[in-house]
């Protein structure tokens, strides 16, 4: 009897070791970002990610997910790694097979880092604002338009709210929403889950029904040399011209929009936030709502110079506050220090200059999509409601 | 003088060798299927594809494009290969790095072979039916719907014709259009260029404006074990139930459709063609137009048994010919012999049985997307026009 008891106690500790010391299959689920039926990568209940790749002939296999992890070769040439617990949200990742950075065919592909990247969705407990629910759904439409600025066809995606197809006489305000450097017009609807976030907000009455236009933030004027992808241009950009001369007229003539400035917003993340500030400040006759997610600065030296920056528009704070209905800036608290300081510093400078704005910090998130999903979820409810 | 002449002649031959014997950079363009700014893969003027991958530490790098090519290691660890001239159209491909099959991050990703695959578009001279042109454009909409059959949310894509947003009182016929095994609901709008083909056909008056619904051809009834991806199910499938009970009612209540059988078609490629035959023949009260692209058979033994196959519907050829307005089947002449024989044999059996149908052969194309783009371009003009 004692012997059996001892065995039971020993087995208990063995199971504890398996159960808690090392994540196991039973305690994990395939990532929702996987392609259909792919068993790996998996996410454990304590948010570790488990990766697996079969590479019997490879000498070295690594995982790049923020930092680089060496994977361990096991039986049958299968390499594995289990990460530390990860911050929830969406993370890009790659495999490095004998020095070559490649995407994981078991993951969906996401355009980021200038290429089709792998990504893993780590579930976030206690929130459901980006969960697909039984609420009325809008749709995301792929649309082609010809740009006179670039003399080429461009693709944009347009979110139309749930009642757009039902209430055929209704007109809607429009948010122009931009991706970051190395991403493209697909970012917000795929990584960002823009349609799900807006469907949920609208169904709860938290946001007014709106159209959201997501364009590609790169443009080259016809005949000009191609810009380096992701590199910020100085001065009025070809993209600004595309937005003002091509995109807005196309949207206003092909969708049921309210086309005055009080019903037009622009926002963007990272590079898209910079572009938003540049474009809206140069075109305040067209935009009344402005958002910068993890990228809103572009002010000279150590702080905001109200006489120089943004063409001196902020020198008269009262006039600016009256003209701009919403200036919203956000940043993740775990973003790189230079980014955090730039956005937080911009916020402090705006406050010092008496410029009305909303400042938001996303707790614990990096320069990643969870910061931007949260930013959208905070920003969208404020749109088109300020008298 | 003679020396100079000789040098000139020698140089001429050297240039000839470079120019015609080996494809060179100047004679090639980045593939249109590449991600933005990627220089490789390239396609030469004689339709060879040039691939490049940097892998200094890899022992063996291969290209899989139909067959497997060994790539050649050059300076700086860059591996290259130039293929023989390729058949125009869209080809899936992969790199194999030290035995591991991976996607090329320089290519767009396309869901095929059950994973996010690389693909290369080889231009086709003399045709422009799938070229983006200055014609009125429809849009492709991503829509979510809840399936009572699977008790899960499903995604479909819906093409709406150019005048759908302009003529708000007009109702449209609907084509349900399915992808092949290992592909998904994105296939027709990404690899298939369905919107461009239809926009062009409609603008030339060759096809009537129609809605096209592209769903995912996999389904698992709530509580049932998951099917093996790509594996054909026998008997009435969960997917058939989804189409009949969930998808058609969703489309008819959320889009401006004409909902009688004379204005509803179904077609599909490969596995999708099989599913089309199965679903339409079991539901002729709902469909009057039927298309099978490189997959339309499912008849027993060596030929069609009109008394057994398709529940004996074809036994009364006159009744069948009256009921089914269009039965269309197509195949590429370069497809694998068993596929060609199956579809061609089905065509011969139909003819022998007096079943009215249209049979199309795509010259020189394999079991690939160019066969199916051509099939759609031939099939769509015949839809919803037969009295």
């Amino acid at each position: 009897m004692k012997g059996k008891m001892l065995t039971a106690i020993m087995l208990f500790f063995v199971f504890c070791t398996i159960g808690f010391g090392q994540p196991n299959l039973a305690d994990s689920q395939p990532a929702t970002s996987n392609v259909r039926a792919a068993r790996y990568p998996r996410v454990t209940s304590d948010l570790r990610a488990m990766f697996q790749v079969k590479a019997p002939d490879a000498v070295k296999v690594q995982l790049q997910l923020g930092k680089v992890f060496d994977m361990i070769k096991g039986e049958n040439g299968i390499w594995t790694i289990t990460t530390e617990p990860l911050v929830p949200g969406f993370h890009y990742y790659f495999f490095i097979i004998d020095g070559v950075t490649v995407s994981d065919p078991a993951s969906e592909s996401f355009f980021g880092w200038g290429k089709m990247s792998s990504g893993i969705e780590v579930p976030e407990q206690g929130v459901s604002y980006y969960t697909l629910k039984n609420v009325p759904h809008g749709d995301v439409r792929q649309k082609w338009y010809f740009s006179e600025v670039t003399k080429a066809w461009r693709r944009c995606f347009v979110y139309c709210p749930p009642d757009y197809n039902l209430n055929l006489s209704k007109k809607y305000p429009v948010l122009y929403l931009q991706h970051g450097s190395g991403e493209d017009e697909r970012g917000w609807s795929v990584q960002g889950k823009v349609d799900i976030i807006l469907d949920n907000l609208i169904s709860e009455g938290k946001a007014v029904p709106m159209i959201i236009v997501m364009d590609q933030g790169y443009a080259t004027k016809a005949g000009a040399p191609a810009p380096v992808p992701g590199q910020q241009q100085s001065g009025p950009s070809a993209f600004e011209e595309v937005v003002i001369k091509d995109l807005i007229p196309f949207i206003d003539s092909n969708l049921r929009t309210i086309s005055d400035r009080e019903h037009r917003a622009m926002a963007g993340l990272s590079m898209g936030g910079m572009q938003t500030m540049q474009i809206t400040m140069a075109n305040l006759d067209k935009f009344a709502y402005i958002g910068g997610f993890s990228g809103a600065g572009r002010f000279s030296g150590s702080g905001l110079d109200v006489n120089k920056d943004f063409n001196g528009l902020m020198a008269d704070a009262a006039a600016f506050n009256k003209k701009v209905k919403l200036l919203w800036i956000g940043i993740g608290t775990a973003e790189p220090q230079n980014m955090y300081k730039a956005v937080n510093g911009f916020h402090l400078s705006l406050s010092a200059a008496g410029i009305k704005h909303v400042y938001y910090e996303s707790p614990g998130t990096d320069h990643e999509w969870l910061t931007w999903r949260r930013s959208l979820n905070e920003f969208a409810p404020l749109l088109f409601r300020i008298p």
Side-chain angles (χ1 to χ4, degrees), chain A residues 202-218:
Chain A
I202 292 168
S203 77
E204 294 173 27
K206 289 183 179 168
V208 301
M210 67 185 80
I211 290 167
I212 300 182
V213 177
M214 297 153 283
D215 199 49
Q216 183 181 100
Y218 313 104

Side-chain angles (χ1 to χ4, degrees), chain A residues 90 92 110-117 178-188 191-192 215-218 229-230 268-272 275 367-369 372:
Chain A
F90 176 88
Y92 290 112
F110 306 90
F111 194 72
W113 299 95
K115 56 191 172 187
M116 296 309 294
S117 306
Q178 288 302 121
H179 61 82
S181 171
E183 295 167 343
D184 73 6
E185 66 272 25
R186 291 170 285 193
W188 270 107
Q191 292 96 307
D215 199 49
Q216 183 181 100
Y218 313 104
L269 71 91
S270 194
M271 178 185 84
Q275 291 173 322
H367 201 67
E368 286 195 317
W369 276 97
W372 308 321

Side-chain angles (χ1 to χ4, degrees), chain A residues 30-201:
Chain A
T32 57
S33 40
N34 292 0
V35 298
R36 185 183 164 75
R39 292 176 60 240
Y40 281 85
R42 306 175 74 85
V43 183
T44 65
S45 62
D46 66 345
L47 308 190
R48 295 167 198 269
M50 305 168 79
F51 293 86
Q52 191 181 86
V53 58
K54 187 164 186 177
D57 302 329
V59 176
K60 190 174 190 179
V61 178
Q62 295 164 300
L63 166 72
Q64 186 181 317
L65 196 168
K67 60 183 179 178
V68 173
F69 300 81
D70 284 333
M71 295 179 74
I72 297 139
K73 193 173 185 177
E75 281 175 27
N76 305 320
I78 293 173
W79 300 68
T80 56
I81 183 84
T82 300
T83 68
E84 293 298 288
L86 298 175
V87 173
F90 176 88
H91 309 291
Y92 290 112
Y93 76 91
F94 302 92
F95 287 139
I96 308 175
I97 312 238
D98 287 341
V100 189
T101 300
V102 296
S103 303
D104 178 1
S107 166
E108 276 291 329
S109 290
F110 306 90
F111 194 72
W113 299 95
K115 56 191 172 187
M116 296 309 294
S117 306
S118 299
I120 184 165
E121 184 78 34
V122 176
E124 189 180 9
Q125 298 302 318
V127 298
S128 66
Y129 68 91
Y130 56 90
T131 303
L132 196 59
K133 293 179 200 169
N134 187 18
V135 299
H137 289 287
D139 54 36
V140 174
R141 305 176 181 190
Q142 173 182 285
K143 296 190 92 76
W144 296 106
Y145 70 101
F146 190 80
S147 165
E148 290 297 335
V149 173
T150 67
K151 298 289 180 202
W153 288 95
R154 291 174 63 88
R155 179 174 70 166
C156 65
F157 288 93
V158 179
Y159 166 79
C160 288
D163 62 352
Y164 189 89
N165 285 330
L166 304 175
N167 195 341
L168 297 182
S169 59
K170 190 172 170 185
K171 295 188 170 192
Y172 297 83
V174 185
L175 163 62
Y176 291 81
L177 185 61
Q178 288 302 121
H179 61 82
S181 171
E183 295 167 343
D184 73 6
E185 66 272 25
R186 291 170 285 193
W188 270 107
S189 60
V190 181
Q191 292 96 307
K193 300 182 182 279
V194 67
D195 55 333
I196 299 174
I197 293 173
L198 263 287
D199 289 345
N200 287 337
L201 286 173

Side-chain angles (χ1 to χ4, degrees), chain A residues 347-369:
Chain A
H347 151 60
L348 297 174
S349 299
L350 289 171
S351 297
I355 299 294
K356 214 168 54 181
H357 66 286
V358 175
Y359 175 66
Y360 168 75
E361 289 193 350
S362 165
T365 59
D366 204 339
H367 201 67
E368 286 195 317
W369 276 97

Side-chain angles (χ1 to χ4, degrees), chain A residues 305-361:
Chain A
D305 182 338
V306 292
N307 294 309
K308 277 190 188 168
D309 295 321
F310 307 120
N311 305 318
L313 275 170
M314 292 177 179
D316 183 345
F320 185 91
N321 291 340
K322 194 176 169 194
K323 185 90 176 170
V324 175
K325 293 187 178 292
L326 176 64
L327 176 57
W328 193 102
I329 59 177
I331 186 83
T333 61
E335 297 205 28
Q337 272 302 301
N338 62 334
M339 290 182 180
Y340 179 83
K341 279 186 184 164
V343 174
N344 180 266
F346 186 47
H347 151 60
L348 297 174
S349 299
L350 289 171
S351 297
I355 299 294
K356 214 168 54 181
H357 66 286
V358 175
Y359 175 66
Y360 168 75
E361 289 193 350

